[in-house]
Amino acid sequence: MTGVTVNGLARRPETPQPETAASWETDSDARRRSPAVARNRAPIAAVLPDLLPASGCVLEIASGTGEHVAHFAEVFPALDWQPSDPEPSSLASIASWTSGLNNVSTPVAIDATEPGWPVERADAIYCANMVHIAPWEATLGLMAGASAVLASGAPLILYGPYLRGDVATASSNLDFDGSLKSRDARWGLRSVEDVCAAAEVRGLAFERLIEMPANNLILVFRKA
């Protein structure tokens, strides 16, 4: 896939410093709080009605603090939400944030690099800020897992910063990419083209790209 554009735009405007989901504060009740989530959850929720089914189960991969799923569960009460994360401390934070929400299931441990997810079926999958803060194998595992649990036509929705072959990368994103790689050489911003290629060979067709604030994108795929 080459030459991805949205609404005829040839380039993206410069916007604020990209988010890092790896920064958070922890409350006494195990809840983690991410400043990035406080900024991005409303803009993401604003575009999700056009992407999510009217009902069914949404599996969130790499739920992190749990703030996204807690917010979305309240905004979309007709959907059942299944959060997940590989880290025990994150699972505790998710459970704390979603306590009392009847349409959120108990968070489950899912490592995207490992096959055999403990969820057999989902009507949509949402994943934010994992692809760049994880080895490339996690993206490949995400695509394979999504292909296994999604029904035909169901969406995989990715949110985060990406590189684009036909668009100059904002200097803030280049700095962010360097910072990620200095922390772990296996991390870093991925190209939209590489992510779409990995999805395609695993039966997930690229549908659209949506520009988001703070140098982020939403990528939407559909199970073939």
Side-chain angles (χ1 to χ4, degrees):
M1 172 191 165
T2 58
V4 177
T5 59
V6 176
N7 297 328
L9 295 177
R11 63 183 180 84
R12 299 178 63 206
E14 292 289 328
T15 48
Q17 181 72 17
E19 303 159 353
T20 170
S23 330
W24 52 61
E25 300 173 353
T26 304
D27 293 347
S28 58
D29 61 356
R31 291 188 183 189
R32 291 175 170 177
R33 297 178 182 272
S34 168
V37 173
R39 293 190 299 268
N40 66 36
R41 61 188 178 185
I44 296 171
V47 303
L48 287 180
D50 291 335
L51 307 177
L52 294 173
S55 61
C57 175
V58 182
L59 169 63
E60 183 181 30
I61 298 296
S63 297
T65 64
E67 293 168 278
H68 269 174
V69 70
H71 180 71
F72 298 155
E74 293 183 335
V75 176
F76 305 101
L79 289 166
D80 296 318
W81 295 83
Q82 175 60 72
S84 72
D85 203 273
E87 298 293 334
S89 58
S90 291
L91 295 174
S93 178
I94 299 162
S96 184
W97 275 106
T98 58
S99 176
L101 294 174
N102 295 329
N103 60 331
V104 181
S105 298
T106 301
V108 295
I110 293 180
D111 182 339
T113 64
E114 298 291 335
W117 293 358
V119 175
E120 295 183 357
R121 175 185 171 277
D123 299 292
I125 293 177
Y126 169 78
C127 180
N129 288 322
M130 182 202 80
V131 170
H132 58 288
I133 312 181
W136 177 240
E137 289 75 16
T139 299
L140 301 181
L142 171 63
M143 299 302 181
S147 183
V149 304
L150 289 175
S152 178
L156 167 64
I157 303 164
L158 306 183
Y159 170 85
Y162 293 88
L163 306 175
R164 293 161 66 183
D166 62 338
V167 177
T169 303
S171 59
S172 55
N173 265 6
L174 291 175
D175 292 342
F176 186 37
D177 183 53
S179 173
L180 290 170
K181 290 175 178 175
S182 71
R183 292 160 59 190
D184 191 318
R186 302 171 300 167
W187 295 3
L189 272 61
R190 316 298 181 184
S191 76
V192 170
E193 293 79 9
D194 286 347
V195 173
C196 289
E200 183 177 8
V201 299
R202 291 162 178 82
L204 299 165
F206 175 73
E207 181 178 277
R208 65 174 121 163
L209 175 155
I210 302 170
E211 303 272 359
M212 298 297 291
N215 290 320
N216 287 285
L217 303 173
I218 283 180
L219 305 182
V220 184
F221 303 87
R222 295 276 174 181
K223 173 71 179 293

